[in-house]
Amino acid sequence: MALAATAFAGRRVAVPEFRYLVDFSVPVAEIVPLAHAMILATTLFSPMADLEQTSAQPMSRHRALYLVTLLALALGLTALPLLAGATSEVFVSAARNVIGYLGLGMLSARLFGSGLAWLLPLAMFGPTLLLGVGSDNTPEPWAWSLHPSTHTPAMITAVLLWVAGACASATAGPRQSERAEQN
């Protein structure tokens, strides 16, 4: 995914707006972070949930460190298109998107299990692409991932999503259903 974003760093994807026939597009490098976030979020909880419950040390510190490492990895993958000439504005928007979608992925992993960590990011991404642009050819206020890199409310939304997801993931162990799936 990161290599595709790097190879197509200068390309734009037309947003298929159905409500208004407007011409709106976003760089490929701003969309690829969705895939990074969904894939990385599926790694949140160990398949050895019973061992985590009986460990000698609390896993919350290790999990918090893992979440920060996951964020660093996601941001590193998002930075690769810079090598192919993507602008800093594209990188900031892509970084914002990976932060927000990773937060949604962490919330999804906590609510539905790590196997369904892709659910909330994809549930947000679909309507954003289909309904996220207004008649004046600008992103709707709720479509934070389509806004330009200078849009502060979009950045705040993404950071709040990541913080909420990190808190939910760091303070809780695997869901009961994930333990039952392993047996």
Side-chain angles (χ1 to χ4, degrees), residues 124-158:
M124 178 68 189
F125 184 71
T128 298
L129 278 185
L130 298 176
L131 306 170
V133 179
S135 61
D136 59 348
N137 205 24
T138 59
E140 296 287 351
W142 59 267
W144 55 269
S145 64
L146 296 179
H147 282 278
S149 62
T150 56
H151 194 255
T152 304
M155 185 64 77
I156 291 170
T157 300

Side-chain angles (χ1 to χ4, degrees), residues 2-148:
L3 294 177
T6 303
F8 298 107
R11 304 278 174 120
R12 296 181 74 81
V13 175
V15 175
E17 180 57 47
F18 290 121
R19 294 183 307 163
Y20 313 104
L21 297 176
V22 296
D23 184 27
F24 190 83
S25 64
V26 293
V28 170
E30 290 182 21
I31 293 176
V32 171
L34 171 70
H36 297 152
M38 289 189 317
I39 292 168
L40 292 173
T42 61
T43 68
L44 284 174
F45 295 110
S46 167
M48 295 186 267
D50 291 329
L51 289 177
E52 283 188 21
Q53 291 296 90
T54 60
S55 67
Q57 296 179 357
M59 294 300 290
S60 57
R61 278 185 285 150
H62 299 289
R63 193 170 288 116
L65 178 62
Y66 181 71
L67 294 175
V68 171
T69 304
L70 246 152
L71 178 61
L73 177 61
L75 290 173
L77 290 170
T78 303
L80 284 177
L82 287 172
L83 300 174
T87 64
S88 60
E89 290 85 21
V90 169
F91 169 70
V92 171
S93 293
R96 175 205 57 218
N97 290 352
V98 82
I99 289 168
Y101 284 125
L102 190 56
L104 281 173
M106 290 186 291
L107 286 170
S108 187
R110 181 65 197 121
L111 293 172
F112 310 116
S114 56
L116 293 175
W118 54 268
L119 190 62
L120 287 179
L122 208 54
M124 178 68 189
F125 184 71
T128 298
L129 278 185
L130 298 176
L131 306 170
V133 179
S135 61
D136 59 348
N137 205 24
T138 59
E140 296 287 351
W142 59 267
W144 55 269
S145 64
L146 296 179
H147 282 278

